[in-house]
Amino acid sequence: MTLRALHDAARKTLDPVHYDYVAGGADEERVLSANESAFDRYLLLPRILCGSETRDTTVRLPGARRAAPVFVAPTAFHRLMHPDGERATARAAAAEGAVLVTGTAATTAVDAVVAAAREAAPDPAVWFQLYLHPRREVTEALVRRAEQAGCTALVVTVDSAVFGRHTRDLRNGFTDLPPGHAAENMRDLPGAPPGTLTDIPMSAAPTWRDFAELARMTALPVLVKGILHPADARLALGHGASGVIVSNHGGRQCDAVPAALDCLPAVVDAVAGRTPVLMDGGVRRGSDIAVALALGATAVGVGRPVMWGLAAEGEAGVRAVLATLRDEYDHTLALCGGRRNADLTKDMVVRRGETR
Ligand SMILES: Cc1cc2nc3c(=O)[nH]c(=O)nc-3n(C[C@H](O)[C@H](O)[C@H](O)COP(=O)(O)O)c2cc1C
Ligand SMILES: O=C(O)C(=O)c1ccccc1
């Protein structure tokens, strides 16, 4: 099954309101389309007669060596996609050797997510995504839940001082989760009772002080997700971040920002090798992974494709998405004369219409 076929199958099986929730973006959905079309503006310039019969696509990330430079980006409410929800995603990611970033908005508690991953592989890598909460004790309780569950890194999302205006959800009147579904990690924590789309309180004015405080709360590596400006990448390093994720939240927050891929090179320059630079947004095929790596990314995240695989075929569908991306990437690497990820360098990408 190709990613496109899984997307079509998901669209057919899902409640159209839930399909729209995942597919949609903010406002006029300009950034949503820009993320994907940015990849069409870059082309690969392969090197020849320098390849290898077998390639090493493994990647070293904070707290984990993984099979391929692809991770599952944090997305909310997997049980809206499939009854097995996050457990299926966790088993699939672990079996395929990919990092799973599970998050505060998961419909399965983080300890159950890590337990499911461990059923599929002895040494999975599950990271936990959270927001800076208005109340420090809520943030701290989530950090302890993630640590106790066995997560190996934290991801703090910093592009969501306010919820994005999701046009399709507003049009569809989608505000509450169906009965029996909730943001399980929020259970028994102060704040609104779980059950609505927006019941995860987020600080409306988070600061670097709050971030640094969180980083000091834990011995786990902490990555910052939602960096677009190179100066913020430098600040992240100065405040104890173990990695940055260039992301515009899949076009679901500010609808007037550049494509994530277009923000990558300046962040890579600013970080200058001091920490891994991850990116997400619009990655749909193996050659997209190769382009992002050539532009300096250590690994790329996928959000919606995983949701479509989950909706279409549960665990098998997520495995198909991750395996397809890895195979396509390995194939592209071979065609570019690469033996390992680091062989993809900046001189091997050109803008459409240009050559070296
Ligand atoms: C349905 C949905 C829910 C999301 N929920 C979260 C979330 O809870 N936390 C977060 O940091 N990012 C969230 N994101 C953003 C993703 O982590 C990621 O940045 C984005 O989906 C990447 O773009 P892609 O879908 O084009 O791969 C969500 C994205 C989608 C589509
Ligand atoms: O939908 C989203 O993009 C998202 O990030 C989110 C976060 C918390 C609760 C629900 C959705």
Side-chain angles (χ1 to χ4, degrees), residues 21-24 32 35-36 73-77 103-106 129-131 155 157 159-160 200 225 247-252 280-284 301-305 307:
Y21 168 65
V22 173
L32 175 67
N35 276 349
E36 283 189 29
T75 48
F77 314 141
T104 307
Q129 175 270 329
L130 71 168
Y131 299 92
V155 173
T157 300
D159 58 16
S160 303
I200 295 165
K225 175 171 181 279
S247 171
N248 54 35
H249 212 110
R252 295 163 74 86
D280 70 27
V283 173
R284 301 293 179 263
V302 277
R304 294 178 183 85
M307 296 293 257

Side-chain angles (χ1 to χ4, degrees), residues 28-38 251:
E28 293 169 61
E29 303 190 335
R30 291 192 295 168
V31 177
L32 175 67
S33 9
N35 276 349
E36 283 189 29
S37 57

Side-chain angles (χ1 to χ4, degrees), residues 68 96 286 320-333:
E96 296 298 331
V321 167
L322 296 172
T324 299
L325 287 171
R326 190 188 55 232
D327 289 350
E328 289 178 357
Y329 169 66
D330 177 65
H331 190 75
T332 305
L333 188 60

Side-chain angles (χ1 to χ4, degrees), residues 240-254:
S242 298
V244 300
I245 307 180
V246 174
S247 171
N248 54 35
H249 212 110
R252 295 163 74 86
Q253 289 297 120
C254 183

Side-chain angles (χ1 to χ4, degrees), residues 83-329:
D84 298 342
E86 286 83 2
R87 284 182 177 81
T89 315
R91 283 193 289 265
E96 296 298 331
V99 167
L100 166 67
V101 189
T102 192
T104 307
T107 38
T108 307
V110 59
D111 51 332
V113 173
V114 176
R118 284 183 179 146
E119 285 162 24
D123 198 15
V126 181
W127 297 356
F128 187 76
Q129 175 270 329
L130 71 168
Y131 299 92
L132 290 164
H133 285 260
R135 297 171 62 168
R136 186 201 140 101
E137 62 275 23
V138 176
T139 304
E140 183 147 13
L142 287 166
V143 169
R144 299 298 165 238
R145 276 182 189 187
E147 287 173 343
Q148 275 152 28
C151 291
T152 53
L154 300 177
V155 173
V156 180
T157 300
V158 293
D159 58 16
S160 303
V162 291
F163 271 101
R165 259 186 249 281
H166 298 174
T167 315
R168 299 188 206 197
D169 298 345
L170 294 168
R171 192 192 324 123
N172 294 334
F174 184 46
T175 52
D176 294 341
L177 294 175
H181 297 246
E184 292 297 335
N185 295 305
M186 292 305 292
R187 220 172 257 293
D188 310 323
L189 295 181
T196 70
L197 285 194
T198 54
D199 65 10
I200 295 165
M202 302 169 190
S203 172
T207 64
W208 283 112
R209 261 179 87 125
D210 300 324
F211 175 81
E213 190 174 67
L214 187 155
R216 279 196 304 272
M217 263 176 212
T218 179
L220 294 177
V222 186
L223 293 88
V224 188
K225 175 171 181 279
I227 297 263
L228 299 176
H229 198 302
D232 284 333
R234 272 183 230 109
L235 283 167
L237 291 179
H239 289 85
S242 298
V244 300
I245 307 180
V246 174
S247 171
N248 54 35
H249 212 110
R252 295 163 74 86
Q253 289 297 120
C254 183
D255 198 34
V257 297
L261 184 69
D262 289 331
C263 292
L264 177 64
V267 171
V268 168
D269 282 350
V271 165
R274 286 174 287 176
T275 195
V277 179
L278 283 58
M279 71 82 62
D280 70 27
V283 173
R284 301 293 179 263
R285 53 198 172 208
S287 60
D288 296 343
I289 303 169
V291 166
L293 263 63
L295 291 174
T298 305
V300 302
V302 277
R304 294 178 183 85
V306 166
M307 296 293 257
W308 305 143
L310 180 61
E313 304 202 340
E315 179 182 345
V318 177
R319 284 195 69 160
V321 167
L322 296 172
T324 299
L325 287 171
R326 190 188 55 232
D327 289 350
E328 289 178 357
Y329 169 66

